[in-house]
Amino acid sequence: MLLENQTAIVYESGSDFAMGGFSLACASIETLTRALAGEVGQYGVRVVALRPNFTPDTHPEWDIEEGGLDHLINGTALRRLPKVAEVAHTAAFAASDHAGPMTAAVLNLSCGAIAD
């Protein structure tokens, strides 16, 4: 509900729109991660989020043409996309005792598509 003199901003997504709902959703998840860590840390609970880029091997049923992911690959610093095994290994590390002091963190697995 909007009160008088308030403005609602509606974001769209699409190929011709630079900032869309998905970016806002990701930012919200990161904010939730940090806020939740502040709330539950006193109980010994750690909160860590993973931020992977598109992982083609999670969609083996897709018929992706040769060069069909170049627009994503070229937008990364490492010139590649993450593998699902790399994301899984990072998740296992984050959940392990080796990452015991880590909380309120967002682990960037985007191969440099997003620079923190």
Side-chain angles (χ1 to χ4, degrees):
M1 177 174 129
L2 293 176
L3 301 176
E4 194 173 336
N5 297 325
Q6 288 186 325
T7 303
I9 300 174
V10 178
Y11 292 94
E12 298 178 25
S13 62
S15 61
D16 60 340
F17 201 81
M19 179 66 98
F22 185 71
S23 297
L24 297 174
C26 291
S28 298
I29 291 168
E30 293 181 22
T31 301
L32 176 64
T33 299
R34 292 180 182 99
L36 187 59
E39 293 289 326
V40 299
Q42 63 185 326
Y43 304 108
V45 177
R46 299 184 302 114
V47 182
V48 179
L50 303 178
R51 185 191 333 143
N53 200 346
F54 179 73
T55 50
D57 49 345
T58 61
H59 301 283
E61 73 281 1
W62 288 8
D63 185 24
I64 300 172
E65 303 176 11
E66 182 70 30
L69 297 176
D70 286 351
H71 66 288
L72 293 175
I73 294 168
N74 293 336
T76 68
L78 299 178
R79 297 296 185 250
R80 68 181 188 86
L81 296 172
K83 297 179 175 84
V84 72
E86 293 172 318
V87 176
H89 291 156
T90 304
F93 167 76
S96 75
D97 290 339
H98 296 290
M102 184 185 303
T103 193
V106 178
L107 303 182
N108 184 347
L109 307 176
S110 69
C111 291
I114 300 169
D116 291 334

